[in-house]
Structures are given as C-alpha cells and as structure tokens.
C-alpha cells in the first residue's frame, strides 16, 4: 500500500536557489533528495538565551589571549605559564557560570 505524498512550496531568492543547485550537484543528488537529506539529518539548535550572552562575550577575550599564547608558542616553543594560568582561571569561572545556569527557568 503506497502512502500519499505531501508537498509544499519553498520560495527561494536567486542566490539561495543557486546555492541549493550547487550543493545538490556537488552531492550527486537531485534537489528533492538533497532537501530530504537535509531535513532528516539537520540538527536545529535553539538560540542561546539573552542571559547567556554576557558569558559568551566573556569567552572572546580569553580566546584571543589563548591565540596569542599559541602564536608565541609556535615561534619560541615556550609557554608563558602565568598568562596561561590567568586565562584558565577566567575560563573556569565562565564555565562554572554556564554549568550553574538554570536552563529551566522561565523567561
């Protein structure tokens, strides 16, 4: 017994359509099969709460500091342990805030 197929209209601007065509062609699938694969395998992650935004922003300077430590290490093959420890302390504080965040509280 076959099931009746459902359909819907997807409106794309020319740039989006070109992207879809390119992605489908590169995958070796037709547009329909490519979209089906996207629908089945896509993982939609909810946007983080606005309350987490300061925590995410707090990670940016730490990331930049760690990149600088990495660059210096690549040049000198030594690590400034004091700077690394300072960054790790800040990182642990932020991770603790994120872990302790009450994700179930209502907005």
């Amino acid at each position: 017994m076959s099931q009746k197929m459902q359909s819907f209209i997807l409106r794309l601007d020319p740039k989006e359509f070109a992207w879809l065509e390119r992605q489908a062609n590169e995958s070796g699938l037709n547009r329909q099969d490519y979209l089906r694969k996207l629908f089945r395998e896509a993982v939609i992650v909810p946007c983080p709460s606005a309350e987490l935004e300061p925590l995410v922003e707090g990670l940016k300077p730490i990331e930049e500091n760690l990149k600088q430590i990495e660059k210096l290490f690549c040049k000198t093959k030594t690590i400034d342990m004091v700077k690394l420890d300072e960054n790790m302390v800040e990182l642990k504080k932020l991770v603790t805030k994120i872990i302790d965040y009450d994700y179930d509280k209502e907005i």
Side-chain angles (χ1 to χ4, degrees):
M1 177 186 266
S2 67
Q3 295 179 354
K4 183 176 178 182
M5 299 294 283
Q6 301 293 316
S7 64
F8 68 96
I9 296 173
L10 176 63
R11 299 187 195 290
L12 301 172
D13 65 33
K15 192 173 182 179
E16 293 168 330
F17 186 79
W19 176 87
L20 175 59
E21 282 286 299
R22 188 173 53 256
Q23 296 299 317
N25 288 336
E26 288 176 5
S27 72
L29 300 169
N30 62 39
R31 285 190 309 255
Q32 182 174 315
D33 290 339
Y34 181 79
L35 288 171
R36 278 194 178 116
K37 186 171 179 63
L38 280 180
F39 291 152
R40 282 192 309 266
E41 296 179 10
V43 176
I44 307 298
V45 179
C47 291
S49 164
E51 294 167 335
L52 286 177
E53 213 168 293
L55 298 175
V56 172
E57 288 300 314
L59 290 172
K60 289 180 180 178
I62 295 171
E63 176 189 23
E64 192 57 41
N65 290 342
L66 292 174
K67 284 180 182 178
Q68 291 173 2
I69 291 169
E70 176 190 24
K71 283 180 185 177
L72 185 62
F73 174 75
C74 288
K75 288 181 183 177
T76 65
K77 301 299 182 211
T78 60
I79 293 179
D80 183 341
M81 291 306 292
V82 173
K83 285 185 181 177
L84 184 61
D85 286 343
E86 289 170 0
N87 281 287
M88 294 310 292
V89 167
E90 288 302 311
L91 185 58
K92 285 178 185 178
K93 286 179 188 176
L94 283 168
V95 169
T96 300
K97 284 182 184 179
I98 292 169
I99 290 172
D100 290 342
Y101 179 79
D102 183 4
Y103 291 95
D104 295 327
K105 74 179 174 181
E106 296 197 23
I107 297 174

